Amino acid sequence: MSEANGEKRYETTLCYLYGEKGVLMLHRTKKENDINKDKYIGVGGHLEHGESPEECVLREVKEETGLQMTSYRLRGIITFVIDDIDEITFLYTCEGWEGELSGESCDEGELVWIEKEKIEKLPIWPGDKIFFRLLSEREDVFSLKLTYIHDELTEAAVDGKKIDFVV
């Protein structure tokens, strides 16, 4: 994290594992003062000093799920602007792994397999609906910028071009 003029900037990874039971998601329920409290998100976390996005996503998925990814790829780079926070997130999907899911919870919440068709009905960030659509429509790596005021999505841009969106 870097700070300048009271603003915070983070670099993170986010990964969705696709399997027979659906998409593995984390229902964030355990941390107080969590910006993602009660929402469903992928697994991932903050890059540590000297760590590449690939090293980070491998480490975070292993720590949070117990699974070692064997087939994964970068799908997008998302810039989240939320109040005084800027977050650059490297978005991955995974379709192959080794090991067993380590229980149904981790330090941040419950791990849950969700059918793809049901994801949009869950409490997720409005912009997540946009990147899930992009994940289903595109094979190339995309750039997505999502601007929020608190929980409200106010602007979205794909590959540098503003888009209209319905929340």
Side-chain angles (χ1 to χ4, degrees):
M1 177 187 74
S2 62
E3 278 194 54
N5 302 325
E7 297 171 349
K8 299 175 185 94
R9 184 173 186 89
Y10 299 96
E11 295 171 332
T12 63
T13 60
L14 182 62
C15 187
Y16 291 91
L17 286 76
Y18 287 77
E20 291 177 13
K21 298 178 186 177
V23 180
L24 186 62
M25 298 186 78
L26 177 57
H27 186 200
R28 298 283 292 250
T29 57
K30 293 188 178 178
K31 286 186 174 180
E32 291 301 318
N33 301 317
D34 182 356
I35 194 168
N36 293 304
K37 181 98 170 126
D38 295 325
K39 289 187 172 47
Y40 286 79
I41 64 170
V43 293
H46 296 258
L47 274 75
E48 294 180 353
H49 176 71
E51 194 173 47
S52 71
E54 291 78 17
E55 292 167 328
C56 177
V57 75
L58 286 165
R59 175 183 54 78
E60 288 284 351
V61 169
K62 178 73 172 168
E63 287 175 4
E64 292 180 5
T65 69
L67 303 173
Q68 183 66 47
M69 294 192 303
T70 58
S71 177
Y72 62 97
R73 66 188 178 110
L74 178 66
R75 301 294 305 280
I77 299 172
I78 305 171
T79 303
F80 292 100
V81 179
I82 305 173
D83 301 325
D84 65 342
I85 298 171
D86 288 349
E87 183 173 323
I88 305 297
T89 299
F90 299 89
L91 176 64
Y92 290 84
T93 56
C94 173
E95 295 185 359
W97 56 84
E98 295 174 346
E100 296 293 321
L101 192 60
S102 58
E104 294 182 359
S105 73
C106 69
D107 292 344
E108 298 169 1
E110 285 71 50
L111 295 165
V112 186
W113 289 102
I114 305 291
E115 294 174 37
K116 280 200 285 190
E117 307 78 43
K118 295 183 178 179
I119 291 173
E120 284 200 21
K121 293 177 177 54
L122 296 172
I124 61 176
W125 287 93
D128 292 10
K129 294 177 182 181
I130 296 171
F131 72 67
F132 274 112
R133 188 187 76 228
L134 291 169
L135 287 172
S136 70
E137 293 174 355
R138 293 178 56 168
E139 290 297 319
D140 61 332
V141 176
F142 57 84
S143 173
L144 176 62
K145 181 178 179 184
L146 300 168
T147 303
Y148 289 88
I149 297 176
H150 307 301
D151 283 1
E152 183 183 340
L153 183 62
T154 59
E155 190 174 294
V158 176
D159 299 328
K161 297 180 181 109
K162 287 185 182 179
I163 61 168
D164 292 326
F165 58 89
V166 177
V167 182

